[in-house]
């Protein structure tokens, strides 16, 4: 500990000594201002440029529908699905905000989990797929929140998304960034080679989901479905 303090003190003294030796004349410094027009290069967009319509939905408040945070939000089949990692639950509301049901099955047995990391909606089979990282497994529920089945996993993943009839997961296994999981055959395939920037951002950790829940054909023309810090 003393060695560390000595080094810091020495460097500090050397820095101030160097500053004393160099004298600056403020009158000789004549900085040239550089004007940058941010609005000209990046003009402000309007609501209509990004959204078709807006609607305020008041969620019903009951003893069972309380949650602390929205870690992921998805909408499908006139239902709203909300992930709350703190309470390890997925809450289901109607499109009008009425509370319908809640998925929360804490335990170590079949159909149970200890830690909930993410979820996605399988629009093909109409399943709510929960991803548990304690232990590693996928839990399948119907749209009403009833447990159907589960599949065990071997590795840890950051986030999941059901896209184009496939389950994708963000990973960093074998220097690959994405994993394609065949739910029927239970076969995984890693793809998309990681570069230095990918490795750097993955070491920071992600608080928000990295996948949007789905990509429509019209969206694919202008927007990538996979990217950092994209909320569902």
């Amino acid at each position: 500990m003393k060695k560390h303090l000595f080094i810091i003190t020495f460097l500090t003294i050397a820095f101030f000594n160097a500053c004393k030796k160099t004298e600056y004349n403020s009158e000789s410094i004549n900085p040239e201002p550089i004007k940058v027009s941010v609005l000209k290069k990046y003009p402000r967009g309007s609501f209509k440029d990004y959204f078709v319509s807006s609607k305020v939905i008041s969620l019903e408040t009951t003893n069972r529908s309380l949650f602390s945070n929205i870690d992921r939000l998805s909408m499908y089949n006139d239902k709203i699905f909300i992930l709350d990692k703190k309470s390890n639950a997925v809450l289901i509301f109607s499109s009008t905000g009425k509370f319908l049901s809640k998925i929360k099955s804490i335990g170590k047995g079949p159909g149970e989990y200890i830690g909930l990391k993410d979820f996605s909606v399988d629009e093909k089979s109409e399943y709510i797929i929960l991803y548990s990282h304690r232990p590693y497994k996928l839990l399948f529920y119907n749209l009403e929140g009833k447990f159907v089945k589960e599949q065990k996993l071997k590795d840890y993943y950051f986030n999941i998304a059901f896209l184009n009839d496939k389950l994708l997961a963000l990973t960093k296994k074998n220097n690959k960034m994405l994993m394609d999981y065949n739910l029927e055959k239970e076969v995984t395939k890693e793809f998309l080679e990681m570069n230095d920037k990918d490795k750097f951002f993955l070491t920071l950790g992600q608080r928000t989901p990295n996948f949007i829940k789905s990509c429509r054909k019209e969206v694919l023309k202008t927007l990538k479905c996979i990217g950092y810090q994209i909320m569902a």
Side-chain angles (χ1 to χ4, degrees):
M1 188 66 181
K2 291 182 179 179
K3 291 182 179 179
H4 294 167
L5 290 174
F6 173 77
I7 293 172
I8 294 172
T9 305
F10 176 77
L11 292 175
T12 304
I13 294 173
F15 172 76
F16 281 109
N17 287 337
C19 292
K20 288 181 180 179
K21 293 180 180 178
T22 305
E23 295 183 0
Y24 294 98
N25 185 359
S26 60
E27 295 181 357
S28 63
I29 300 175
N30 186 22
E32 180 182 353
I34 301 175
K35 296 182 180 181
V36 179
S37 179
V38 178
L39 292 179
K40 186 177 181 180
K41 189 173 182 180
Y42 304 102
R44 293 178 180 176
S46 64
F47 181 87
K48 294 181 180 179
D49 293 335
Y50 303 97
F51 305 97
V52 177
S53 62
S54 64
K55 182 180 180 181
V56 177
I57 301 175
S58 179
L59 301 179
E60 181 183 8
T61 302
T62 67
N63 292 331
R64 294 193 64 223
S65 67
L66 295 176
F67 57 89
S68 61
N69 192 41
I70 298 178
D71 294 291
R72 184 187 284 278
L73 185 149
S74 294
M75 298 185 67
Y76 175 69
N77 199 24
D78 294 328
K79 288 184 175 65
I80 303 172
F81 305 93
I82 295 176
L83 168 66
D84 181 14
K85 290 183 181 180
K86 189 172 183 179
S87 63
N88 278 324
V90 172
L91 297 92
I92 306 174
F93 296 86
S94 69
S95 58
T96 59
K98 179 178 176 56
F99 176 69
L100 301 176
S101 62
K102 182 178 183 179
I103 301 174
K104 185 175 182 179
S105 184
I106 309 299
K108 298 182 180 180
E112 297 177 333
Y113 55 86
I114 299 175
L116 195 57
K117 183 69 175 176
D118 200 5
F119 89 97
S120 186
V121 179
D122 179 350
E123 298 180 0
K124 180 180 179 181
S125 302
E126 296 198 328
Y127 283 143
I128 308 170
I129 305 177
L130 273 61
Y131 165 49
S132 166
H133 65 296
R134 288 182 295 167
Y136 300 156
K137 62 180 176 180
L138 298 173
L139 300 101
F140 298 78
Y141 294 80
N142 62 21
L143 297 182
E144 284 68 45
K146 301 294 183 182
F147 176 73
V148 178
K149 60 180 180 178
E150 70 174 42
Q151 290 183 9
K152 294 183 179 181
L153 299 174
K154 297 180 181 180
D155 300 299
Y156 172 84
Y157 302 105
F158 292 99
N159 302 103
I160 65 170
F162 194 83
L163 176 66
N164 297 334
D165 300 334
K166 294 181 180 180
L167 184 69
L168 300 179
L170 183 67
T171 181
K172 54 180 180 180
K173 184 180 178 183
N174 299 327
N175 205 38
K176 299 293 193 300
M177 196 164 72
L178 296 176
M179 184 274 293
D180 181 348
Y181 186 64
N182 189 314
L183 296 175
E184 296 180 358
K185 298 180 180 179
E186 298 187 28
V187 176
T188 61
K189 179 182 179 182
E190 293 81 21
F191 66 102
L192 193 59
E193 197 80 18
M194 293 176 60
N195 56 34
D196 292 337
K197 290 183 179 180
D198 298 325
K199 294 176 182 178
F200 172 76
F201 283 107
L202 283 175
T203 58
L204 299 179
Q206 292 83 21
R207 183 177 179 274
T208 57
N210 297 81
F211 290 113
I212 59 174
K213 70 182 181 68
S214 62
C215 277
R216 308 298 180 189
K217 291 182 179 179
E218 60 270 18
V219 177
L220 282 170
K221 296 179 181 178
T222 57
L223 178 68
K224 290 185 178 180
C225 297
I226 300 167
Y228 291 108
Q229 308 299 323
I230 297 180
M231 289 293 290

